[in-house]
Amino acid sequence: MFTLNRPETFSQEIKKSRFIALASPIADEDAAKRFIEEQSDPTATHNCWAWRMGQVYRFNDDGEPSGTAGKPILQAIDGQSLDAVVVLVIRWFGGILLGSGGLMRAYGGTAATCLRSGEKTPVIPTLATEIECGFSDLALVKSRLVAVPNLTITSETFTADGARLNLSVPLSSTDEVAKMVMDLTSGRVTVPLPDR
């Protein structure tokens, strides 16, 4: 799975109707709703959209015949193996009816072209966890953690004895990270992992 690196836009005219696709990476459902709300154009004839966040997705035809706009936009997202993405396709009607098939091609095609032009990054499943580390081990543990690909220290809170580190660890390296931290600190620090 991939997501977009940054927002993208694409516009085209189809039989005198103007279509503009706006796509963006999103962090959660609220970000998708906010994007749609902020980017929709009240002067347009239709503001149709779709988004996917993991297993959760939504789409909307905004007055176009059912299944001719939102669903083709979602299919454009899924067709490019994208996740954590929202796409809004705005249409200004130009006076020529496109028919159901024409609408599906127009919305789906505009969304797909917009998404194809965007730079993509792999989506890496992660596990959020927290460790408590004494001052004597902190510098070494942090330097080794930041060297792990795709691992991020999301926050660091100092305590009387050391620091509490919140980590986002790639699922593929949770066991090796837990072992590394245990070995570095001679067992003084452990990485809590969920039971598998």
Side-chain angles (χ1 to χ4, degrees), residues 98-121:
L98 300 181
S100 293
L103 286 172
M104 291 168 78
R105 283 189 298 279
Y107 281 101
T110 303
T113 303
C114 179
L115 292 170
R116 250 192 313 277
S117 67
E119 278 185 40
K120 297 165 185 79
T121 302

Side-chain angles (χ1 to χ4, degrees), residues 55-127:
Q55 296 302 308
V56 182
Y57 61 88
R58 299 279 181 276
F59 56 86
N60 187 300
D61 294 316
D62 190 35
E64 292 283 26
S66 181
T68 62
K71 199 163 191 181
I73 297 169
L74 181 64
Q75 288 167 338
I77 294 170
D78 292 345
Q80 295 185 43
S81 300
L82 291 167
D83 191 11
V85 168
V86 61
V87 180
L88 169 68
V89 179
I90 304 169
R91 178 189 185 195
W92 288 268
F93 181 59
I96 298 172
L97 295 174
L98 300 181
S100 293
L103 286 172
M104 291 168 78
R105 283 189 298 279
Y107 281 101
T110 303
T113 303
C114 179
L115 292 170
R116 250 192 313 277
S117 67
E119 278 185 40
K120 297 165 185 79
T121 302
V123 174
I124 297 163
T126 59
L127 168 77

Side-chain angles (χ1 to χ4, degrees), residues 4 22-26 31-33 35-36 49-52 77 84-88 115:
L4 292 174
L22 302 143
S24 180
I26 51 171
K33 292 172 189 166
F35 179 86
I36 293 160
W49 52 264
W51 56 263
R52 172 172 292 287
I77 294 170
V85 168
V86 61
V87 180
L88 169 68
L115 292 170

Side-chain angles (χ1 to χ4, degrees), residues 160-172:
D161 305 319
R164 186 174 301 116
L165 304 176
N166 285 300
L167 309 175
S168 176
V169 184
L171 285 179
S172 59

